């Protein structure tokens, strides 16, 4: 049973990331998850909206673990930032520009039309900002610098994903990464 629910969540996350929330149908989810259609309503009695909310929250946690594990793996935070943006570009190229952020794709679609999903995306982004700020503070950045830098990191990464997918080029990720690196470097002497 749990395996079926996990397959539905994983498949939905991938489809939402690639096709968006409105571009993904429940029959498509069931077929690609190799699950009976009725199992979607068994696990998600609130239908597509409940499924979407759970996908946003679980994908957001997974994506945060991935990004912050890259940053945390590098004692030099500047190197971690550079590697994070580079790997994001490599992933886009390897997936023919299909796999970007699992949250941004949905957030762009639903922020004005679906309050439940808007709140879920806002909660995920807030958790990223809080976690990233804590990581940067632990690396010695002042609290206001840490928050400003992680906001810059998230907004630069998300915006670069949009441009990179549209342009089919990693140039936006390269430029965004360089901008975030410059901002982080500028804050280094101000560490407390």
């Amino acid at each position: 049973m749990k395996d079926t629910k996990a397959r539905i969540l994983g498949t939905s996350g991938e489809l939402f990331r690639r096709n968006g929330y409105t571009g993904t149908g429940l029959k498509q989810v069931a077929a690609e998850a190799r699950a009976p259609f009725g199992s979607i309503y068994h696990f998600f009695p609130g239908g597509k909206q409940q499924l979407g909310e759970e996908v946003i929250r679980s994908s957001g946690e997974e994506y945060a673990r991935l990004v912050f594990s890259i940053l945390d793996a590098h004692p030099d935070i500047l190197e971690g930032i550079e590697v994070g943006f580079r790997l994001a570009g490599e992933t886009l190229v390897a997936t023919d520009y299909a796999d970007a952020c699992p949250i941004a794709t949905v957030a762009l679609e639903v922020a004005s039309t679906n309050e439940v999903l808007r709140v879920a995306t806002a909660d995920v982004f807030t958790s990223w900002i809080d976690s990233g700020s804590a990581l940067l503070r632990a690396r010695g950045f002042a609290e206001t610098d840490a928050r400003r830098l992680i906001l810059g990191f998230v907004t630069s990464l998300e915006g670069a994903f949009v441009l990179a997918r549209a342009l089919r080029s990693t140039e936006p990720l390269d430029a965004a990464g360089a901008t975030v690196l410059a901002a982080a470097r500028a804050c280094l002497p101000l560490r407390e």
Side-chain angles (χ1 to χ4, degrees), residues 5 9 43-44 50-59:
K5 183 176 182 179
L9 282 169
F43 293 113
F44 308 97
Q50 181 184 359
L51 173 62
E53 182 179 13
E54 289 193 35
V55 165
I56 289 165
R57 292 183 187 284
S58 63
S59 294

Side-chain angles (χ1 to χ4, degrees), residues 85 150-161 172-173 175-177 179-180:
F85 277 90
I150 202 63
L151 281 165
F153 180 92
V154 171
T155 58
S156 295
L157 185 61
E158 298 299 347
F161 277 144
L173 284 158
T179 300
V180 173

Side-chain angles (χ1 to χ4, degrees), residues 6-16 24 28-30 32-34:
R7 279 197 325 270
I8 291 170
L9 282 169
T11 298
S12 297
E14 182 177 322
L15 291 170
F16 291 169
T24 300
Q28 179 185 19
V29 169
E32 293 200 25
R34 300 174 327 278

Side-chain angles (χ1 to χ4, degrees), residues 78-119:
L78 298 177
E79 181 182 354
I81 291 168
E82 185 276 324
V83 169
F85 277 90
R86 182 173 42 78
L87 291 176
E90 290 174 7
T91 298
L92 278 179
V93 170
T95 62
D96 198 27
Y97 294 88
D99 285 350
C101 173
I103 308 307
T105 304
V106 176
L108 288 169
E109 280 184 279
V110 303
S112 300
T113 59
N114 186 313
E115 185 63 9
V116 169
L117 299 183
R118 184 204 63 78
V119 168

